[in-house]
Amino acid sequence: MIDKPHFLGDNPINNVKEDLFNFKHYAEKVQKLIQLNSDNPDPITIGIYGEWGEGKTSLLNLIENKIEHFEKNKDGKEYLKYRFNPWRYSNEDEMLFDFFDGLAKMFYVEKKDTWQKIGHQITRYSKYLKALKISTTLGVPKTLGTSVSFDVNKIFETLGESLSGEQITLESLKNKVNDSINDAKFKVIVFIDDIDRLDKNEIYTILKLIKLNASFNNFIFIVSLDINYVSKAIKNRFGEEDNDGKMFLEKIINIPIHVPRVEEADLKEFFQIKLSQIKNALDIKNKDRLNEELKGINREFSGRYFKSPREIIRILNSFFISAFAIGNEVNLRDLFWIEYIKIKNGECYKSIKNYLNIKTFLEEGTVIDFNDDIGEDGNLNGTRKNLMDNFNNVKDVVDFLFPIKGGGFLSGKIDPDILEQELRINSREHFEKYFSFHTIRKLSNIKILEIEKLIADNNNDDLKRIIEDLFLDQTQQYKVLYRIEIFIKNIAAPDRRNFFYEFLLRNLIIIPESEKDMFGLDYRLRLIELIGSKLSSDSENDNEKISLKLASLLDLNNLCHYSRKFKDSVIKPKLIELISNKAENELTTEYPFYLILQNSNKMIMNYWKETNPERFNKYIEDTLISEERISKLIRNFPGVWNGTKVAALEYDNYKYLKELLNVDFIYGKLSELNPLLVEKINNRDDAQFNDFDENSEEDNLKQFIFWYKFEKLKPENKQ
């Protein structure tokens, strides 16, 4: 059994307990007006005017409430209520005749002669109207000289009414209805709702019914309508302008009553009550986040954003459906306001939904603000200017959902990491989920919450399993990595932080291999450097013990990347010593480390030489047994473009090489192995410096020979 409502009802209120807008006070005044009109036998029509969703039916219900229990004088009239809904009928004739049939039955219910008489007279009147309709529809004269007759009175008699010599007319039958109502001392109040849902012919039929066919004595019609809609619907019967329709309505409606304006405080209270109902029905795992984000929605509420209570219901129901589908994966505050845009301006929503900017969706951590014209200085441009210029009724909401350099819910610099953590719509990582309503091929926030719990529980095995599973989808690996980086940056508790850092460094194998980025870093190196950076910059905690423990877990290459982030840290000398010891104990002469081009190679050389220059020099000299090895050693010193293309060995590169390596030994060894090459290089052209394309190993070797000769053999050229 479902005990929570999963949609907000749009039903009008039926009693004062449901009246959240204080309509009851106005309704009581209208009730009093009806009471004071008790002695007036003339038919009266009261019109309740209001736009869609403003509460016309609710006000109508409150007016109807308790009318049959009006206090009256000793000789005062009884009141009979008759609720007629014209929306249920398929054509005008059916609507017209059922009105009278239903009205007559109201009187037949009571076993009183006076009531029965009224019912009988209304029935006769209705049948005569039907006879007139049949006669008119057939469109033939009373007699065609045949046995078939279409005389109205004959049709009336055929419908079951005996004429008994009476001279029957519609007017005489109407007078009989009036007389019987007067004798019974009755006031009949007819409530007609929803006529602005009818088509133009049906609307005209209802108005004709009120003004002509059912304008009995002691009748009060109370009709709810949108005057603008109804005026447009009937204008062509009385003219061409909308005002022609309004002028006709003025002849029908004796007393116009406009739905009271809903005060903003009442509207906000209504909104809060309905939002609370949604909150109770949502299954959001993080209750603190649920409360905080719904508070944000409530704080930002303003009456100027909503036209009517019904519009609030529509927007909240749309929000609920979306939140039910994806509420654990997005920021609920942002979800509400994007659903608001969807309901208020479908074209604006479509423009945002279909937004695709290549730069935005390729760069990690990008903040979406729609200012996407290249070269602009931050002023409104591109897609954003289009949104602001063309969708005026929701541009304020667009502004605080997608702020530029702060504003709205942020101020100052917009931090992509914070947006990602808070599942914001203007985060590149989450934008698409607000429109696709699923997390297939996306990083689920449910998984993120599970990871957080596993970290808190120090659960190594399950944490390894879930991260391995997340990396299985190769198209989403960069998103998983980005989220792990967020964890590294933001875990505050030292015990949890230390557990997670150690977990990552012990399980680097689960981080997939990747292409190197523009800085020469793959996924694993990015995480290692980030961990080093966070530990070295955390001045509030004594991180020496955990920093050295993590360093001991790393191989030589990874350790260099880790250590370089400590810079001026007091533990940097210990890390340098650790690098040097690893180099001496782990590096072999059979396959020298410098053969594989890595950013860490120069760091190994630098720290090893700084700690133990004799052992370092001997290792280099022992390994340089071929021209190929010499070329690969020199290859470590030129610059690298985009993490892959090796540049020329420029003079600054050569000078740094000379600081670390014995260039005399290298040049001498090269002279032994390839004297012709050494002899051949005498000027810059011979060295084939290439400033545009990648330089080969041979190019770098020639460039080394050139710079050596430049310094050694031509001292006057020294710079």
Side-chain angles (χ1 to χ4, degrees):
M1 179 178 177
I2 298 175
D3 57 359
K4 293 181 180 178
H6 281 70
F7 289 102
L8 298 179
D10 191 23
N11 296 324
I13 61 178
N14 288 296
N15 57 67
V16 292
K17 292 181 180 179
E18 301 170 355
D19 179 23
L20 300 178
F21 304 122
N22 292 311
F23 283 179
K24 61 184 177 183
H25 304 294
Y26 197 35
E28 288 169 358
K29 299 297 184 183
V30 178
Q31 289 174 338
K32 190 67 175 177
L33 178 67
I34 294 171
Q35 282 180 291
L36 293 174
N37 194 61
S38 174
D39 293 331
N40 180 10
D42 296 333
I44 294 175
T45 303
I46 299 173
I48 298 178
Y49 293 169
E51 295 184 5
W52 173 88
E54 284 190 332
K56 298 187 298 296
T57 302
S58 294
L59 180 58
L60 193 72
N61 291 345
L62 289 173
I63 294 171
E64 181 182 355
N65 189 37
K66 298 182 180 179
I67 274 185
E68 70 270 34
H69 303 299
F70 276 172
E71 293 181 7
K72 58 187 181 66
N73 298 327
K74 181 179 179 181
D75 297 324
K77 296 176 181 177
E78 297 284 351
Y79 286 85
L80 177 73
K81 296 188 304 184
Y82 176 41
R83 190 74 177 243
F84 181 66
N85 187 351
W87 207 40
R88 67 182 63 174
Y89 303 105
S90 59
N91 58 64
E92 297 93 86
D93 290 344
E94 185 180 335
M95 181 193 307
L96 180 65
F97 298 128
D98 200 64
F99 171 85
F100 290 108
D101 289 344
L103 182 60
K105 288 175 183 176
M106 296 285 293
F107 291 96
Y108 284 133
V109 170
E110 287 287 334
K111 304 301 182 182
K112 298 179 182 178
D113 291 342
T114 53
W115 286 56
Q116 297 284 323
K117 182 179 179 182
I118 295 171
H120 175 65
Q121 295 300 341
I122 290 174
T123 299
R124 296 190 79 211
Y125 180 78
S126 174
K127 288 181 178 180
Y128 198 81
L129 274 177
K130 191 175 293 185
L132 280 172
K133 180 68 176 178
I134 293 171
S135 175
T136 304
T137 303
L138 292 173
V140 294
K142 292 182 180 179
T143 178
L144 295 174
T146 66
S147 59
V148 180
S149 173
F150 298 101
D151 182 273
V152 174
N153 287 337
K154 289 292 185 182
I155 298 173
F156 183 60
E157 192 172 4
T158 303
L159 292 174
E161 293 295 333
S162 173
L163 294 177
S164 304
E166 293 181 76
Q167 198 63 29
I168 299 296
T169 65
L170 191 62
E171 193 64 27
S172 66
L173 290 174
K174 186 174 184 180
N175 289 334
K176 289 180 181 295
V177 173
N178 286 334
D179 291 341
S180 61
I181 292 175
N182 290 334
D183 292 342
K185 295 185 178 182
F186 258 105
K187 294 287 282 190
V188 179
I189 304 179
V190 181
F191 295 88
I192 303 180
D193 193 13
D194 294 333
I195 74 168
D196 43 20
R197 296 188 185 186
L198 306 175
D199 66 31
K200 59 184 180 181
N201 292 328
E202 292 169 334
I203 290 174
Y204 180 73
T205 299
I206 287 294
L207 296 178
K208 185 178 177 182
L209 172 74
I210 294 170
K211 188 64 177 177
L212 180 63
N213 295 327
S215 58
F216 302 123
N217 288 348
N218 291 299
F219 263 58
I220 298 176
F221 285 90
I222 304 181
V223 186
S224 70
L225 68 157
D226 181 333
I227 187 172
N228 293 320
Y229 177 85
V230 172
S231 297
K232 289 178 182 178
I234 64 173
K235 67 179 182 180
N236 291 332
R237 286 182 176 269
F238 311 103
E240 296 181 353
E241 303 296 329
D242 291 349
N243 197 51
D244 295 323
K246 289 182 180 179
M247 290 176 66
F248 177 76
L249 279 175
E250 290 177 0
K251 299 177 181 179
I252 305 292
I253 307 296
N254 305 114
I255 304 173
I257 294 175
H258 291 266
V259 174
R261 181 182 181 273
V262 178
E263 295 182 11
E264 183 162 347
D266 292 330
L267 199 63
K268 183 164 186 175
E269 180 68 14
F270 175 80
F271 179 82
Q272 288 175 332
I273 291 171
K274 299 304 180 182
L275 186 63
S276 177
Q277 292 176 12
I278 284 180
K279 174 189 170 184
N280 294 334
L282 283 175
D283 182 23
I284 302 298
K285 305 301 182 186
N286 188 333
K287 299 304 180 185
D288 291 337
R289 182 174 74 84
L290 170 66
N291 290 331
E292 191 59 33
E293 291 170 8
L294 292 190
K295 283 180 184 177
I297 296 171
N298 194 50
R299 283 194 302 269
E300 291 160 349
F301 175 90
S302 172
R304 66 190 176 93
Y305 291 139
F306 301 93
K307 291 173 59 178
S308 67
R310 180 172 293 167
E311 187 173 66
I312 288 177
I313 294 295
R314 288 190 70 211
I315 291 169
L316 284 174
N317 273 330
S318 182
F319 165 65
F320 177 78
I321 293 171
S322 301
F324 190 79
I326 197 102
N328 284 300
E329 304 296 336
V330 297
N331 185 284
L332 294 171
R333 174 263 188 195
D334 289 2
L335 183 64
F336 172 81
W337 288 112
I338 198 64
E339 291 298 311
Y340 172 89
I341 292 175
K342 180 198 291 185
I343 299 300
K344 294 287 287 187
N345 196 318
E347 286 302 311
C348 181
Y349 176 83
K350 183 178 178 182
S351 296
I352 294 173
K353 176 183 177 181
N354 295 332
Y355 179 72
L356 177 62
N357 177 274
I358 298 301
K359 176 178 180 293
T360 297
F361 287 95
L362 287 181
E363 289 187 4
E364 296 177 18
T366 301
V367 177
I368 298 173
D369 63 12
F370 304 122
N371 251 27
D372 50 21
D373 270 1
I374 297 174
E376 291 286 347
D377 59 2
N379 295 324
L380 290 186
N381 64 73
T383 303
R384 188 179 193 88
K385 189 173 189 306
N386 175 64
L387 293 173
M388 294 297 102
D389 290 347
N390 294 311
F391 306 116
N392 187 64
N393 69 323
V394 293
K395 69 178 184 179
D396 288 348
V397 178
V398 174
D399 259 340
F400 65 67
L401 278 181
F402 302 95
I404 302 175
K405 295 181 181 177
F409 59 83
L410 294 172
S411 60
K413 183 179 179 182
I414 301 176
D415 187 338
D417 290 347
I418 293 177
L419 299 184
E420 201 282 337
Q421 276 185 282
E422 296 181 354
L423 314 177
R424 293 288 191 180
I425 191 173
N426 58 331
S427 165
R428 182 192 68 105
E429 304 303 320
H430 300 295
F431 178 83
E432 290 180 322
K433 288 192 288 189
Y434 284 82
F435 306 98
S436 61
F437 299 105
H438 65 77
T439 55
I440 298 172
R441 294 174 61 90
K442 300 178 180 69
L443 181 57
S444 167
N445 189 54
I446 298 296
K447 295 290 186 183
I448 298 302
L449 296 175
E450 187 175 351
I451 290 174
E452 289 178 349
K453 185 176 186 306
L454 294 173
I455 292 173
D457 295 342
N458 286 7
N459 189 330
N460 186 85
D461 293 339
D462 288 341
L463 184 59
K464 183 177 180 180
R465 173 189 54 76
I466 193 172
I467 292 179
E468 282 180 323
D469 288 344
L470 289 174
F471 275 120
L472 288 177
D473 186 350
Q474 295 183 0
T475 65
Q476 298 298 300
Q477 287 178 352
Y478 71 95
K479 291 186 178 181
V480 179
L481 178 78
Y482 182 67
R483 199 60 182 84
I484 292 175
E485 289 176 335
I486 297 296
F487 278 123
I488 292 173
K489 293 177 184 177
N490 293 295
I491 297 178
D495 56 337
R496 296 184 184 185
R497 179 202 66 180
N498 295 348
F499 164 77
F500 187 58
Y501 287 5
E502 184 174 347
F503 164 81
L504 289 174
L505 298 190
R506 286 188 182 278
N507 295 280
L508 282 173
I509 190 66
I510 69 175
I511 309 299
E513 295 182 343
S514 68
E515 296 292 330
K516 293 182 179 180
D517 63 17
M518 61 186 296
F519 305 108
L521 303 178
D522 59 18
Y523 286 173
R524 295 173 186 176
L525 290 178
R526 279 174 54 175
L527 296 183
I528 290 168
E529 287 200 358
L530 182 58
I531 290 172
S533 179
K534 289 298 294 179
L535 287 172
S536 66
S537 63
D538 182 6
S539 59
E540 296 182 3
N541 297 294
D542 181 6
N543 292 322
E544 180 173 347
K545 183 177 180 180
I546 184 62
S547 297
L548 292 175
K549 180 181 181 181
L550 296 179
S552 68
L553 301 176
L554 298 170
D555 64 27
L556 190 55
N557 176 56
N558 292 339
L559 177 59
C560 287
H561 282 275
Y562 175 78
S563 301
R564 67 194 291 259
K565 291 298 179 179
F566 285 83
K567 296 182 181 177
D568 300 326
S569 169
V570 294
I571 69 170
K572 185 62 177 280
K574 295 181 180 180
L575 293 174
I576 291 175
E577 184 178 358
L578 182 59
I579 291 172
S580 178
N581 290 337
K582 277 184 173 288
E584 289 188 19
N585 296 323
E586 297 177 8
L587 298 180
T588 67
T589 56
E590 288 78 18
Y591 195 82
F593 69 94
Y594 56 75
L595 297 182
I596 299 176
L597 194 60
Q598 298 181 115
N599 289 341
S600 61
N601 288 351
K602 286 183 286 188
M603 292 180 65
I604 295 172
M605 297 179 205
N606 183 34
Y607 294 147
W608 193 0
K609 183 174 183 179
E610 178 182 331
T611 306
N612 196 332
E614 292 181 0
R615 292 288 299 270
F616 170 70
N617 288 334
K618 185 176 187 308
Y619 176 87
I620 295 296
E621 292 174 5
D622 288 347
T623 58
L624 291 181
I625 59 176
S626 66
E627 180 181 339
E628 179 186 6
R629 287 193 177 185
I630 295 173
S631 298
K632 289 189 179 297
L633 176 62
I634 293 170
R635 186 77 162 170
N636 284 274
F637 289 87
V640 179
W641 305 334
N642 298 325
T644 56
K645 292 187 177 182
V646 180
L649 183 74
E650 298 293 350
Y651 189 53
D652 286 343
N653 306 135
Y654 175 78
K655 287 192 289 185
Y656 183 60
L657 182 154
K658 190 171 65 170
E659 291 178 14
L660 298 181
L661 302 173
N662 184 343
V663 292
D664 293 328
F665 176 82
I666 296 173
Y667 182 81
K669 194 70 176 178
L670 190 57
S671 298
E672 293 177 13
L673 296 170
N674 194 342
L676 292 178
L677 178 63
V678 172
E679 183 68 25
K680 180 180 178 181
I681 305 302
N682 292 303
N683 55 56
R684 191 176 179 91
D685 290 338
D686 294 335
Q688 298 179 350
F689 283 83
N690 188 339
D691 295 329
F692 301 101
D693 299 320
E694 183 175 13
N695 288 255
S696 66
E697 289 182 16
E698 184 180 4
D699 292 334
N700 291 153
L701 191 60
K702 291 176 181 179
Q703 292 153 10
F704 168 81
I705 296 169
F706 168 75
W707 291 121
Y708 183 86
K709 288 184 176 183
F710 181 81
E711 282 198 338
K712 292 288 186 178
L713 302 181
K714 297 182 179 181
E716 69 275 12
N717 291 330
K718 288 185 178 180
Q719 298 180 7

